[in-house]
Amino acid sequence: MARSMHVRRPATLASLAAELGVSRTTVSNAYNRPDQLSPELRRRVLETARRLGYPGPDPVARSLRTRKAGAVGLLLTENLSYAFRDPAAIGFLEGLALACEDAGTGLLLVPANPEREDVAAVHRAGVDGFVVYSVPDDDPHLAAVLERPVPTVVCDQPDLGNVDRVGIDDQAAMHALAQHLISLGHRRVGVVCMRLARDRNDDFVTPERQQAAHFHVQRSRLAGLAQAFASVGVDWATVPVAERFDHTMASGASAAAQVLERDPHITALICTSDILALGAMAELQRRGLRVPADITVTGFDGIREAEQAGLTTVRQPVLEKGRAAGKLLLDSAERTRPRAVTLSTELVEGTTAAPPRGTAEERWFGP
Amino acid sequence: MARSMHVRRPATLASLAAELGVSRTTVSNAYNRPDQLSPELRRRVLETARRLGYPGPDPVARSLRTRKAGAVGLLLTENLSYAFRDPAAIGFLEGLALACEDAGTGLLLVPANPEREDVAAVHRAGVDGFVVYSVPDDDPHLAAVLERPVPTVVCDQPDLGNVDRVGIDDQAAMHALAQHLISLGHRRVGVVCMRLARDRNDDFVTPERQQAAHFHVQRSRLAGLAQAFASVGVDWATVPVAERFDHTMASGASAAAQVLERDPHITALICTSDILALGAMAELQRRGLRVPADITVTGFDGIREAEQAGLTTVRQPVLEKGRAAGKLLLDSAERTRPRAVTLSTELVEGTTAAPPRGTAEERWFGP
DNA sequence: AATTGGTTCTGAACCGTTACGGTCACTTCA
DNA sequence: TGAAGTGACCGTAACGGTTCAGAACCAATT
């Protein structure tokens, strides 16, 4: 009588079966294998479900039994919200989302606060696999992911041995950009780069720190630069390289200022991302320096904003990167691991790079 | 002996307990309640776990038992990937992500293909709650979400009765914008709006379709316009309103063209989103029309690109909207449901709205 | 009449964990 | 010396499903 007055525990598959006088199997089949029971009974099951307010099989219980979560996890270096501020990250996300929806899979953004070492979120994530996007190679979250017994694809990471990987050849791409500048005549340059490790160092970077950088992407790009310029006789140790923890235009601006203060005579400012480059350009403009007449500026990524600004940069297929990562993860079939996808990049000759002052005339009268 | 030669089923909490000769409870406590067992035993447990390759408690099993998934689901109208293309949606996502990371909660993007009526993804999502962002009020995915026995917050939706809600007063905001145009002297206007229902109708919209629109946001904005203009004697039924299914600049351009073809004498083109407005402006420019000298254009949302273009529009706090939705969902404590948050908007007087041709002179010599 | 095949439904095992309410040995205190 | 308290650990019962090997039944075939 009064039993339904109280909290009334939510209906379950079992209670539904009891109500109907059938087995749990049958109710389960009503939802998952309609061909396994008579249409008539199925109708009764569904109707009774509606009457009892049974919302259908519990997804978590189902996942436990089937060992499928129907979702992949995404681990980012940054705060979750950062991903929606960086155009390159957004592009990656779009590509990954594309792959996910193709497969009908959910995409779980795992809240991994880089400040705290709290790895619990990685442990709590009910997913069938992970995509790890550009985290430092000593990140505890990455370690936690690799301990999980699920397939993983890393993106913009060094070769981890037996993990699938997606990325570009950052070193070669940056080397090509450097060659371009070198052929324009630049020898005295400054560099602005993103964070190289988990600790904040908004300052110049020693060559040691460059080589020991925990962010594979940044390390490779700097290595590409160093190699190219060293090969034309530039002593890389004397090149000012300013690091910034936060990836913002403001960082690019302040880093540019710092580099110029150290060496006002550089003819080119090489930035390891477009965002930093755009910030640097703003600072240069503020100082009354014309780009590229007075100084050359380059970026990396090929985001839309850079294109609009005519930035000379390296375009990388961020969307394709996300999609490739998703596909790799979801095509888990007959995998000959580890697999690696290296996407190609393209040097974009914008309007922010030109021969250094004075060189133009030389070329006028050249051979 | 040879037992470990074979597939070796992955270690579980139980097998670990057996190996150690302790109860499962104790192993569980080693992970979840370190104070419940001696440090010495805990050390042994963890060490044995490492030795056996036990990755820690299975998240899905844990979720089943604790009735907590540690994630919230996000349901969007569009393909998942679309969310990363629309600046307003990105802002919303950023805000939502912010709220999630504050709470240490994951964010699951649910793949709800609007084309197909496949609601399975909603059923499969292991989440503690849902945020529903701007879907048509008759969307089966929305219905599926509401059937799930988890808290839900809808965003940019009509009042659903007993569901938490976040939004703005679209009608009032658009009414204010209309008043602004009216005060400038505009009486003959055209409208470009986003999709009004789940079916594609890239054409003009009848007043009936406007009123029956399934997208609350669009319906409200059109209602605000209709009300404002009707109050100054404009027969709304004669106003050309062009609808576009896809929310792109290209849509805005083609819709603008369609409206102008219908009535070349309109003095203002009102768009229900900035994206559409930017597309419309591109089309107007292509036709050699100057904005605002020859024609006034307005948008809605207040995205960054609109600001750069000097668009006259209504700015709404998209990030705050996302954050509010997340907070509402996650502060499930002592809730006096249903709760509703209505955020405020701001009329942005850009440089794309001016008095209609000829009116300027009148004002020069005005009273 | 026995065999075969097909459909419909069932029983029991299993997925891996945590919540709950203990037990038990060992202090501590009066 | 007995009562009460404390720390460490355990047993059982869920949590809500899916799955697989049959059972029961009936019609058709041999």
Side-chain angles (χ1 to χ4, degrees):
Chain A
M1 286 277 168
R3 85 188 200 289
S4 63
M5 297 300 301
H6 291 297
V7 273
R8 182 156 99 205
R9 294 169 52 80
T12 70
L13 190 142
S15 68
L16 189 54
E19 174 84 17
L20 281 157
V22 301
S23 74
R24 304 208 304 276
T25 302
T26 299
V27 177
S28 175
N29 284 336
Y31 285 95
N32 304 315
R33 308 220 189 95
D35 58 311
Q36 292 294 303
L37 72 175
S38 64
E40 159 60 11
L41 179 54
R42 174 154 197 263
R43 199 191 49 68
R44 273 181 52 218
V45 171
L46 266 34
E47 184 195 302
T48 307
R50 192 158 34 248
R51 184 163 55 77
L52 263 51
Y54 175 65
D58 180 282
V60 176
R62 185 202 305 245
S63 286
L64 173 60
R65 183 65 240 234
T66 61
R67 319 287 316 147
K68 292 234 165 310
V72 305
L74 174 62
L75 182 69
L76 299 155
T77 329
E78 298 278 349
N79 294 319
L80 229 51
S81 52
Y82 168 81
F84 300 106
R85 252 172 274 136
D86 178 358
I90 291 175
F92 179 83
L93 273 168
E94 182 184 342
L96 182 55
L98 231 35
C100 285
E101 64 192 4
D102 273 357
T105 304
L107 178 57
L108 178 69
L109 308 182
V110 177
N113 192 320
E115 315 282 320
R116 299 188 303 156
E117 305 243 328
D118 182 16
V119 169
V122 172
H123 289 140
R124 223 174 2 220
V127 295
D128 300 323
F130 280 100
V131 172
V132 179
Y133 179 67
S134 190
V135 307
D137 52 26
D138 61 342
D139 190 320
H141 296 94
L142 171 56
V145 164
L146 294 177
E147 275 168 12
R148 291 275 307 261
V150 294
T152 297
V153 175
V154 298
C155 197
D156 292 350
Q157 300 287 141
D159 193 343
L160 256 40
N162 60 349
V163 178
D164 290 347
R165 207 161 59 86
V166 172
I168 59 174
D169 189 338
D170 287 283
Q171 182 163 349
M174 198 51 129
H175 190 276
L177 177 60
Q179 285 295 354
H180 177 58
L181 296 184
I182 287 168
S183 73
L184 287 175
H186 295 279
R187 293 296 184 277
R188 195 160 176 176
V189 302
V191 178
V192 172
C193 70
M194 290 166 61
R195 80 173 75 152
L196 299 181
R198 286 157 60 204
D199 62 314
R200 179 184 286 268
N201 171 48
D202 289 334
D203 208 333
F204 290 108
V205 191
T206 63
E208 294 74 44
R209 185 174 168 90
Q210 289 178 40
Q211 283 160 27
H214 284 294
F215 282 92
H216 172 254
V217 164
Q218 296 297 308
R219 185 177 58 235
S220 303
R221 292 181 190 171
L222 290 176
L225 287 178
Q227 189 192 335
F229 280 100
S231 74
V232 292
V234 174
D235 177 7
W236 187 253
T238 66
V239 173
V241 178
E243 173 181 350
R244 285 298 180 274
F245 191 81
D246 297 319
H247 188 216
T248 61
M249 282 183 59
S251 287
S254 85
Q258 191 176 24
V259 168
L260 281 178
E261 194 165 332
R262 171 87 137 235
D263 183 353
H265 301 298
I266 57 169
T267 62
L269 188 57
I270 303 168
C271 305
T272 64
S273 88
D274 286 347
I275 295 281
L276 292 175
L278 292 172
M281 283 177 64
E283 170 66 16
L284 297 174
Q285 183 180 13
R286 203 183 62 77
R287 293 178 169 230
L289 290 170
R290 292 161 305 165
V291 173
D294 297 324
I295 186 168
T296 281
V297 176
T298 66
F300 201 108
D301 281 343
I303 64 177
R304 183 193 313 268
E305 290 84 341
E307 189 178 352
Q308 286 166 355
L311 189 66
T312 291
T313 187
V314 172
R315 181 182 301 135
Q316 62 167 323
V318 285
L319 187 141
E320 207 42 61
K321 218 154 71 170
R323 176 142 54 179
K327 279 207 172 124
L328 225 49
L329 192 59
L330 295 164
D331 289 9
S332 296
E334 44 90 36
R335 50 197 311 186
T336 56
R337 295 198 302 150
R339 299 170 292 178
V341 173
T342 300
L343 300 168
S344 59
T345 58
E346 181 193 357
L347 180 61
V348 179
E349 296 189 28
T351 57
T352 63
R357 270 181 174 297
T359 314
E361 285 75 8
E362 290 167 29
R363 289 171 91 217
W364 255 148
F365 303 108
Chain B
M1 285 280 170
R3 84 188 200 291
S4 62
M5 294 303 301
H6 291 298
V7 274
R8 185 156 96 204
R9 292 168 54 78
T12 71
L13 193 139
S15 67
L16 189 55
E19 173 84 15
L20 281 158
V22 301
S23 75
R24 300 203 301 267
T25 304
T26 299
V27 178
S28 175
N29 284 336
Y31 285 94
N32 304 314
R33 311 242 258 292
D35 58 310
Q36 293 292 306
L37 73 174
S38 65
E40 159 60 12
L41 178 55
R42 174 154 196 265
R43 199 191 50 68
R44 272 181 54 218
V45 171
L46 266 35
E47 186 196 300
T48 308
R50 191 155 37 246
R51 184 163 56 77
L52 264 52
Y54 175 64
D58 181 283
V60 176
R62 173 186 296 187
S63 287
L64 173 59
R65 185 63 244 236
T66 61
R67 325 261 345 127
K68 292 237 161 313
V72 305
L74 173 61
L75 182 69
L76 299 155
T77 327
E78 298 278 351
N79 294 321
L80 228 51
S81 52
Y82 168 81
F84 300 107
R85 252 172 273 138
D86 178 0
I90 290 175
F92 179 84
L93 274 167
E94 182 183 343
L96 182 55
L98 231 37
C100 285
E101 63 192 3
D102 274 358
T105 304
L107 178 56
L108 178 71
L109 309 182
V110 178
N113 192 320
E115 314 283 320
R116 298 187 304 155
E117 305 243 330
D118 181 16
V119 169
V122 172
H123 288 140
R124 225 178 355 223
V127 296
D128 300 323
F130 279 99
V131 171
V132 178
Y133 180 66
S134 190
V135 305
D137 52 26
D138 61 343
D139 190 319
H141 297 95
L142 171 57
V145 164
L146 294 177
E147 275 169 12
R148 290 275 308 259
V150 293
T152 297
V153 175
V154 298
C155 198
D156 291 349
Q157 300 287 141
D159 193 342
L160 255 42
N162 60 348
V163 178
D164 290 347
R165 208 163 57 88
V166 172
I168 60 174
D169 189 338
D170 286 284
Q171 182 162 351
M174 199 50 130
H175 190 275
L177 176 61
Q179 284 295 353
H180 176 58
L181 296 184
I182 287 168
S183 74
L184 286 175
H186 295 280
R187 293 295 183 277
R188 193 159 177 177
V189 301
V191 178
V192 172
C193 69
M194 290 166 61
R195 78 174 77 154
L196 298 181
R198 287 157 60 205
D199 63 315
R200 179 183 288 267
N201 170 48
D202 289 335
D203 208 332
F204 289 108
V205 191
T206 63
E208 294 72 43
R209 186 175 168 91
Q210 289 179 41
Q211 281 159 27
H214 284 295
F215 282 92
H216 171 254
V217 163
Q218 297 296 310
R219 185 177 58 235
S220 303
R221 292 180 191 172
L222 290 175
L225 287 177
Q227 189 192 336
F229 279 101
S231 74
V232 293
V234 174
D235 178 6
W236 188 253
T238 67
V239 173
V241 178
E243 173 181 350
R244 284 299 180 275
F245 191 81
D246 296 318
H247 187 215
T248 62
M249 282 182 58
S251 288
S254 84
Q258 190 175 26
V259 168
L260 280 179
E261 195 166 333
R262 171 86 138 236
D263 184 353
H265 300 300
I266 57 169
T267 62
L269 188 57
I270 303 169
C271 306
T272 63
S273 88
D274 286 348
I275 295 281
L276 292 176
L278 292 172
M281 283 177 64
E283 171 66 15
L284 296 175
Q285 184 181 11
R286 204 182 63 76
R287 293 178 169 232
L289 289 171
R290 292 161 305 165
V291 174
D294 297 323
I295 186 168
T296 281
V297 176
T298 66
F300 201 109
D301 281 342
I303 64 176
R304 184 194 311 270
E305 290 84 342
E307 189 177 351
Q308 286 166 355
L311 191 66
T312 290
T313 186
V314 172
R315 182 183 298 137
Q316 62 166 323
V318 284
L319 187 141
E320 206 43 61
K321 218 154 72 170
R323 176 141 54 182
K327 279 208 172 122
L328 224 51
L329 191 60
L330 295 165
D331 290 10
S332 294
E334 43 90 37
R335 48 196 313 185
T336 55
R337 295 198 302 149
R339 300 169 292 178
V341 173
T342 301
L343 300 168
S344 59
T345 57
E346 180 194 357
L347 181 62
V348 179
E349 298 190 25
T351 57
T352 62
R357 268 183 174 297
T359 315
E361 287 74 9
E362 290 167 29
R363 290 172 89 217
W364 256 149
F365 304 108

